[in-house]
Amino acid sequence: MIRPTRALPALGLLLLSACTSVLAPEPPHPTDNVGFDQESALRAVNAFRAENGLAPLKSEARLVAAAEAQSTAMARRDRMDHYVDGPLPERIKRFGYPFATAAENIARGQPNFASAMTGWEHSPGHRRNLLDPKITEAGFAAVREKTSGRIYWTQIFGRPRADQPTRPEMGRTVMTLGGYHIPSR
């Protein structure tokens, strides 16, 4: 006869081993770069800003690289998420961009940049990011998850730290994600 007190630890180990196999990370999904014209994307953003009385942005290679990394991370996991590859400040610092302010728009499933842009223009939080008067530079990217064919779009906006004080005063917004302002610590 098996005593219940001896069977419980064995049962616990069995259940724990089943849980770890369920929680194992899913292998990355295969991805494909999506060819699109960065300059056309920048012109579209700048036209929208001009319609709203704002200065044009310029393309910034480090923000393009950070946007590519974000779109790739989302496509590999087949999940649209601002934090899929870490918080925005950490991601753009990884690419050497010394930001004073930063913002990000992401999208999934639109067949081209124009469709993604239309969605962002009509979403209040994304629109706020596009029309942020503090931003001066941008980077864009698109990566396709091969199995589903879904395209993951990323826009990252920034203003380099050299244009503003290096230590923003407490409570001042230093980053915007999806229209939500994140204050300095």
Side-chain angles (χ1 to χ4, degrees):
M1 174 173 173
I2 298 176
R3 294 183 185 215
T5 55
R6 288 188 183 167
L8 285 177
L11 180 62
L13 284 174
L14 179 63
L15 289 173
L16 184 58
S17 68
C19 288
T20 57
S21 65
V22 170
L23 299 177
E26 185 178 322
H29 292 244
T31 62
D32 228 356
N33 283 334
V34 174
F36 75 100
D37 184 1
Q38 289 275 333
E39 291 304 313
S40 292
L42 184 63
R43 279 194 301 276
V45 168
N46 284 337
F48 182 65
R49 288 175 60 84
E51 290 169 12
N52 289 278
L54 294 168
L57 305 178
K58 60 183 178 180
S59 183
E60 211 292 328
R62 293 169 293 185
L63 294 179
V64 171
E68 287 172 350
Q70 174 66 10
S71 284
T72 299
M74 290 189 298
R76 282 187 177 153
R77 290 168 186 82
D78 200 14
R79 186 176 85 219
M80 189 172 80
D81 180 355
H82 284 285
Y83 295 94
V84 73
D85 197 31
L88 179 62
E90 289 175 17
R91 288 188 278 119
I92 60 178
K93 283 180 187 176
R94 228 183 292 153
F95 290 92
Y97 187 78
F99 71 95
T101 191
E104 175 178 68
N105 288 340
I106 59 175
R108 172 179 66 187
Q110 294 79 1
N112 53 48
F113 185 84
S115 296
M117 185 68 185
T118 298
W120 289 321
E121 289 173 5
H122 293 97
S123 162
H126 297 105
R127 182 183 182 91
R128 255 190 313 276
N129 288 344
L130 285 161
L131 299 178
D132 185 339
K134 296 183 300 286
I135 61 173
T136 58
E137 300 174 329
F140 313 109
V143 175
R144 179 185 337 271
E145 193 281 324
K146 280 184 171 182
T147 307
S148 68
R150 273 190 289 272
I151 299 174
Y152 288 84
W153 299 92
T154 303
Q155 295 179 315
I156 297 181
F157 305 107
R159 180 181 189 110
R161 191 172 51 232
D163 291 348
Q164 292 189 14
T166 56
R167 296 201 63 181
E169 50 285 344
M170 292 299 286
R172 182 166 171 200
T173 299
V174 295
M175 184 180 70
T176 307
L177 281 175
Y180 296 98
H181 300 288
I182 299 171
S184 63
R185 294 180 195 213

